[in-house]
Amino acid sequence: MDATASGTPTIQYHNIPDQPITAIVAASVPTFQRQVRHCFGDSTPGEFPLAANPSIVLHVLTACNLDPQDLAKLEATCSFFRQPANFAPDYELSISELAALDMCQKRAIFKPMTDEERQSLKQRCGGSWKLVLRFLLAGEACCRREKSQAIAGPGHSIAVTSTGVVYSFGSNSSGQLGHGTTEEEWRPRQIRSLQGIRIIQAAAGAGRTMLISDAGRVYAFGKDSFGEAEYGVQGTKLVTTPQPVESLKDIFVVQAAIGNFFTAVLSREGRVYTFSWGKDSKLGHQTEPNDVEPQPLLGALENIPVVQIAAGYCYLLCLACQPSGMSVYSVGCGLGGKLGHGSRTDEKHPRLIEQFQLLNLQPMVVAAGAWHAAVVGRDGRVCTWGWGRYGCLGHGNEECESVPKVVEALGKVKAVHVATGDYTTFVVSDDGDVYSFGCGESASLGHNTVAEGQGNRHANVLSPELVTSLKQVNERVVQISLTNSIYWNAHTFALTESGKLYAFGAGDKGQLGIELVNNQTERGNPERVDIDLN
């Protein structure tokens, strides 16, 4: 999730002190007098000049990028915002609905949709353009869609600039860097075969990479299987340059997530599809590990739009957007309680995690580590659950939690982003500070202020600690990515607001994008990678 605010100033309507609309208008234009009433609804004589200029009101609402909730509050406040505005394209829409539609039309994934597709999405989201806008904004916020991003994969790394140019570096034994070779790269190298294609999302798994373009096309390279184990059979061949996934050509994809036994993709309309791991109906369908046909995720989410997916070692989390609010569903292997339902049983169909309702928490970002999971709520609280080994849940112990539990040690921190790996968790606050906890192996937590060769660089951390080494870069951190694999030593990326990328942790395959000297295999403190992602 992006920790920065929108480039366009946002008017927070709910911050206006409670008072009658007429009082607000009168205060702003005290000399305006008119005998003819322009206000809809209430028959009491009064004045509402805004009603005489609906086109100006619509322009202001759209230009200020009001939040969908604020638009709804406007409708609830005065009938002027509820009545048909008599504007194209739909003369029956209210001013608030038209403003929401106009803002939807600014979104890249909405622009190419046909009228039929737009109406279908509207009904899927709950029958309102305000709900469609909330769905689109939620997806952009939690996935850094169309923004720069860095992915710390298992042994290799992917970096995407804000203009959609892709760089890769690190291990390349399966061609997962996309350069047409199987040679390692120790410095970021642009994937030249993608020239002319704008990439907006990336996902990295063991020996494989997936990229998603702004046109919804998926390009894959590395191992030619969507669901083999990390050290399993590599399939019939290696793909060393990005190739379009033909089985997805009829699906407009906006996100991909790679687990150990399966791959999942999310469509523009919020539908989830999975490849492989259908043995014993693990994901509600029967498929082989090398199956290249996407299968729709059946069950509770068939008619509920999803804005984000996150894949762990053997399970999948889905952040859903419903008229009643945001919710999280889980499916797959339940060992360690990582599905969040209070048990350790498997779920072959998506099941709602009910604990968030009990906590009165609106999930906004989900993260699936190898064996544990985390969520950031709208109010900035962080919840974790699953295997607690090495303190990766941040509760001060190594106990398992089978339902989401608030990380009390972060009670004074308003979180906006969370990232999880193999028994490791990072949290980014709204002011750009970074906290980490869990397994300290490979120095990937960033708590390495001691001099090289001194002190314990690999100590486990049972409760959240401020990553002071990132404070020294004197920039606001907006994204953290860390290795999510049980077979590879972990490395971590920190992306700043200005597009600078810092790396630390394991670098034995070049995955840090930094040259290591004197037989070093890791970097304890964040070091700038020679690439500008903005």
Side-chain angles (χ1 to χ4, degrees), residues 21 49 54 77 142 218 221 245 261 303 347 357 364 370 380 395 442 449 463:
I21 287 290
T77 300
C142 59
V218 180
F221 42 103
V245 179
F261 301 102
N303 297 309
E347 297 288 343
Q357 294 174 319
M364 298 304 291
H395 301 308
S442 304
T449 55
S463 295

Side-chain angles (χ1 to χ4, degrees), residues 186-197:
W186 285 71
R187 292 287 186 182
R189 178 182 173 186
Q190 183 180 346
I191 302 179
R192 297 291 179 181
S193 61
L194 289 170
Q195 286 186 334
I197 300 173

Side-chain angles (χ1 to χ4, degrees), residues 123-413:
Q123 295 307 312
R124 183 170 171 80
C125 289
S128 164
W129 291 120
K130 293 187 292 295
L131 294 175
V132 174
L133 179 61
R134 187 182 69 168
F135 165 77
L136 296 174
L137 293 177
E140 291 176 6
C142 59
C143 300
R144 289 193 61 82
R145 194 177 296 157
E146 296 185 81
K147 295 181 179 179
S148 58
Q149 57 189 272
I151 309 297
H156 75 290
S157 303
I158 304 294
V160 183
T161 72
S162 57
T163 57
V165 177
V166 183
Y167 294 81
S168 61
F169 43 101
S171 175
N172 196 30
S173 59
S174 299
Q176 63 264 42
L177 297 187
H179 301 304
T181 71
T182 55
E183 298 176 359
E184 294 177 356
E185 296 285 345
W186 285 71
R187 292 287 186 182
R189 178 182 173 186
Q190 183 180 346
I191 302 179
R192 297 291 179 181
S193 61
L194 289 170
Q195 286 186 334
I197 300 173
R198 185 188 179 198
I199 299 300
I200 62 170
Q201 278 281 301
R208 67 180 68 89
T209 303
M210 297 180 75
L211 304 175
I212 301 168
S213 76
D214 60 352
R217 292 304 307 270
V218 180
Y219 299 84
F221 42 103
K223 294 181 181 180
D224 69 333
S225 168
F226 285 108
E228 66 202 35
E230 298 208 30
Y231 287 102
V233 178
Q234 291 203 13
T236 58
K237 63 178 181 178
L238 300 181
V239 180
T240 59
T241 58
Q243 300 295 321
V245 179
E246 290 301 319
S247 62
L248 289 171
K249 65 181 180 181
D250 295 326
I251 301 174
F252 194 113
V253 176
V254 295
Q255 191 199 348
I258 303 175
N260 190 62
F261 301 102
F262 69 96
T263 296
V265 297
L266 178 65
S267 78
R268 175 175 57 185
E269 297 78 21
R271 292 186 173 89
V272 181
Y273 299 84
T274 59
F275 295 88
S276 308
W277 211 40
K279 186 178 181 181
D280 300 324
S281 295
K282 288 287 188 182
L283 293 177
H285 56 76
Q286 292 283 351
T287 54
E288 297 299 320
N290 60 352
D291 189 7
V292 296
E293 293 297 324
Q295 303 290 330
L297 192 62
L298 303 177
L301 290 176
E302 289 183 64
N303 297 309
I304 298 175
V306 172
V307 299
Q308 183 197 0
I309 53 177
Y313 184 77
C314 51
Y315 70 106
L316 180 70
L317 298 180
C318 301
L319 178 61
C321 184
Q322 299 171 266
S324 59
M326 307 295 287
S327 55
V328 181
Y329 290 75
S330 61
V331 61
C333 173
L335 288 177
K338 57 186 178 292
L339 295 186
H341 303 303
S343 67
R344 301 186 180 187
T345 57
D346 296 349
E347 297 288 343
K348 68 177 183 179
H349 295 295
R351 179 180 172 186
L352 174 67
I353 299 179
E354 299 176 353
Q355 184 67 12
F356 295 116
Q357 294 174 319
L358 299 177
L359 294 172
N360 192 29
L361 185 143
Q362 281 273 327
M364 298 304 291
V365 183
V366 297
W371 301 104
H372 75 291
V375 152
V376 171
R378 187 181 182 89
D379 58 5
R381 284 183 292 169
V382 177
C383 289
T384 58
W385 67 97
W387 289 100
R389 194 176 181 186
Y390 306 123
C392 64
L393 301 185
H395 301 308
N397 54 47
E398 297 188 50
E399 300 297 321
C400 293
E401 299 289 344
S402 59
V403 295
K405 181 179 179 181
V406 174
V407 181
E408 298 295 344
L410 292 171
K412 295 182 179 180
V413 174

Side-chain angles (χ1 to χ4, degrees), residues 25-73:
V25 175
S28 59
V29 285
T31 61
F32 187 91
Q33 299 292 328
R34 190 192 296 265
Q35 298 302 316
V36 181
R37 178 178 172 76
H38 292 283
C39 185
F40 295 102
D42 190 358
S43 60
T44 304
E47 185 64 62
F48 199 168
L50 290 179
N53 301 284
S55 60
I56 296 177
V57 176
L58 177 60
H59 174 75
V60 170
L61 295 182
T62 303
C64 292
N65 290 330
L66 283 187
D67 184 274
Q69 286 186 315
D70 292 330
L71 293 175
K73 289 179 180 179

